[in-house]
Amino acid sequence: MKVHLLKSAEVSTTLFTKVVDFLKSIPGPISFIYDLDATIDFEEDEKFLYQIKDEAEFEKKIMHLSSENFSLSSASSFPLEREMVSWDVLFKKTNQYRKKNDIQKNEFVFLLTDIANKQNWFAALDEKMPYNGFIHTEDWDYYIKCSAAFPIAYEVIALMMQKHMFDGLYDLRINVHENPIGCVNDFCLHKREIILKLRTGDICEDCIERAAGKISPPELHHALQIMSSLREKMLFAQNMKRFSPLSKLIINNKSKIILPDFGNIEIKLRPLEKALYFLFLKYPEGIYHSSLSEHRMELYELYAAISTMGDLAEMQIRIDDMVNALNDSASQKMSRIKRVFEEAIGPDLAVHYYIKGESGQKKKIDLDRTLVNMINT
Ligand SMILES: [Zn+2]
């Protein structure tokens, strides 16, 4: 099964890449193909300027049902005015992309877009061509305190499952769970209800039964594994796993940093940041910022081993720049390393893994080095 992912122009590459990384982190028969260069914009499309008058309206999918009042604690100020497009416009984009790239009828094309839709849904399939879908990338931060990449990746799996589990959208509408039970097929009329299904990362017995004849067992297994890995990673990111014992830290032969006991979460750092991090791992007693330059050659070797691209002279310049105590290049890298760990495993666990230290004092990584396993050395 193939799933093509594309984004509209305003969706950040960082977010998009994160979504793709999450989906691809579990190997299996469903393949995810992404296109960073697809230029999808809405410059020439009909848009509606729409005023959302209060939180209740912001929160609710539009279904022509009588409205109930719900309050949303952290929402922005209302009325909120924004542009929206119709579902037709969104699906037209996915169809155009499908045609242009000659994508088979039984391959999915999902558009990740920042623009809101008139029905106020986070994600939906195209009734006319259910292998097309869209996922809205904004507004998630009103509901969950972690990267929007988690719920977006989850919606990719949810849409794909829904196509296979239901015979058409009518079947879907009458068979989804109107009252949320923490299954992938919860309807979530109130967008906040989505929190429950993200938290369980699960699919109920009835829905498994329904899917069994329609998706091959290896594909179903793969989809379920991705959902449960997203669930676990999201719990770490939200600091909800803060009482877990510390994980080993593995640096594999491709210089990837993996935390095997935290659901194999990978800490993604850029090559220079990695070189700096590996240097500090080698020195449990710590290093003064001002004496970084004494480790110039060591950093150079570490960097050369990690970074396969770029010419040598240029690499040397970058290292020289980083060890120069007069600029803040190294500090910036340490801050970013800290942020990457915090976003991945939550601030309480992260504190054991990143480089830290008062200014003027030695900087060091606290982690017990018996937990560190470097496979490439
Ligand atoms: Zn269900």
Side-chain angles (χ1 to χ4, degrees):
M1 195 190 304
K2 285 186 179 159
V3 182
H4 300 261
L5 300 169
L6 52 147
K7 70 176 194 73
S8 58
E10 308 296 323
V11 174
S12 83
T13 307
T14 315
L15 177 67
F16 186 67
T17 314
K18 217 166 178 178
V19 170
V20 174
D21 280 345
F22 284 153
L23 293 167
K24 282 168 136 350
S25 67
I26 310 285
I30 306 168
S31 55
F32 299 95
I33 300 135
Y34 64 101
D35 187 349
L36 271 173
D37 303 320
T39 44
I40 313 282
D41 66 56
F42 298 91
E43 296 299 316
E44 291 170 10
D45 294 287
E46 201 73 63
K47 286 185 272 298
F48 307 87
L49 200 58
Y50 189 80
Q51 203 182 61
I52 304 167
K53 64 179 188 304
D54 56 21
E55 293 170 358
E57 193 178 355
F58 176 79
E59 146 98 7
K60 201 156 178 178
K61 285 180 177 175
I62 295 170
M63 285 294 294
H64 312 290
L65 296 172
S66 64
S67 67
E68 283 170 61
N69 277 326
F70 255 76
S71 68
L72 194 64
S73 56
S74 60
S76 65
S77 54
F78 293 97
L80 170 75
E81 205 167 57
R82 66 173 169 188
E83 284 186 331
M84 299 182 178
V85 295
S86 70
W87 283 10
D88 282 348
V89 167
L90 294 171
F91 296 135
K92 194 181 77 192
K93 302 283 174 193
T94 53
N95 257 332
Q96 281 168 350
Y97 182 84
R98 180 184 288 281
K99 283 214 184 88
K100 192 173 151 214
N101 294 281
D102 221 2
I103 295 169
Q104 305 278 311
K105 281 201 177 84
N106 60 355
E107 296 178 12
F108 288 98
V109 177
F110 293 149
L111 170 64
L112 276 49
T113 179
D114 60 301
I115 196 154
N117 56 91
K118 282 173 80 185
Q119 287 85 340
N120 198 28
W121 287 35
F122 271 132
L125 294 170
D126 181 356
E127 200 134 8
K128 297 185 202 97
M129 173 36 167
Y131 282 93
N132 288 338
F134 76 82
I135 299 162
H136 186 208
T137 57
E138 298 290 307
D139 296 352
W140 291 101
D141 50 341
Y142 293 111
Y143 303 96
I144 49 160
K145 287 187 183 59
C146 62
S147 167
F150 291 104
I152 295 168
Y154 180 91
E155 288 294 334
V156 169
I157 304 296
L159 288 180
M160 194 201 74
M161 303 275 275
Q162 282 166 357
K163 158 66 195 84
H164 287 295
M165 292 162 74
F166 301 103
D167 297 319
L169 290 221
Y170 176 74
D171 189 35
L172 189 151
R173 295 240 171 99
I174 57 170
N175 283 303
V176 289
H177 311 301
E178 265 180 51
N179 297 316
I181 57 169
C183 169
V184 68
N185 290 322
D186 284 355
F187 179 63
C188 304
L189 176 62
H190 296 284
K191 288 174 119 181
R192 62 163 61 217
E193 290 167 357
I194 212 152
I195 298 165
L196 176 63
K197 70 175 178 180
L198 292 173
R199 196 170 282 167
T200 63
D202 206 359
I203 172 165
C204 78
E205 201 49 44
D206 287 351
C207 289
I208 291 262
E209 212 40 53
R210 191 183 281 279
K214 297 176 178 158
I215 311 179
S216 74
E219 284 169 336
L220 182 57
H221 178 71
H222 190 199
L224 293 174
Q225 276 202 308
I226 295 173
M227 285 191 347
S228 82
S229 87
L230 282 170
R231 169 186 181 272
E232 186 165 33
K233 285 175 183 156
M234 201 169 82
L235 290 175
F236 277 106
Q238 292 174 312
N239 210 29
M240 284 159 94
K241 293 271 200 176
R242 59 187 177 279
F243 304 116
S244 309
L246 297 185
S247 169
K248 289 188 282 300
L249 183 147
I250 292 179
I251 295 159
N252 74 11
N253 53 7
K254 288 182 178 131
S255 297
K256 287 187 174 184
I257 303 169
I258 315 275
L259 301 169
D261 310 304
F262 293 166
N264 274 323
I265 287 175
E266 184 186 346
I267 302 297
K268 294 211 164 209
L269 301 177
R270 297 165 185 157
L272 263 178
E273 294 159 357
K274 264 187 196 174
L276 188 65
Y277 189 71
F278 293 176
L279 179 76
F280 277 89
L281 275 180
K282 283 173 74 178
Y283 293 88
E285 71 281 9
I287 302 170
Y288 284 105
H289 191 169
S290 52
S291 36
L292 263 182
S293 56
E294 294 161 24
H295 299 276
R296 207 176 65 91
M297 286 316 288
E298 236 173 320
L299 275 168
Y300 180 60
E301 278 165 28
L302 286 166
Y303 187 45
I306 297 161
S307 176
T308 47
M309 295 179 292
D311 76 320
L312 296 173
E314 202 173 307
M315 284 161 74
Q316 209 147 12
I317 291 170
R318 290 199 195 120
I319 295 289
D320 289 349
D321 190 50
M322 187 166 74
V323 300
N324 183 348
L326 297 177
N327 73 26
D328 58 0
S329 165
S331 303
Q332 281 172 8
K333 288 181 178 58
M334 286 182 216
S335 308
R336 189 167 178 281
I337 292 168
K338 177 182 174 193
R339 198 170 73 238
V340 174
F341 271 103
E342 285 183 339
E343 282 175 8
I345 57 177
D348 288 16
L349 289 173
V351 75
H352 302 281
Y353 291 89
Y354 57 73
I355 307 162
K356 62 177 199 285
E358 300 290 313
S359 80
Q361 301 293 312
K362 276 182 173 174
K363 308 274 183 205
K364 60 179 168 182
I365 300 168
D366 278 347
L367 190 68
D368 174 358
R369 295 305 193 271
T370 59
L371 291 173
V372 179
N373 187 354
M374 290 205 193
I375 290 174
N376 58 340
T377 51

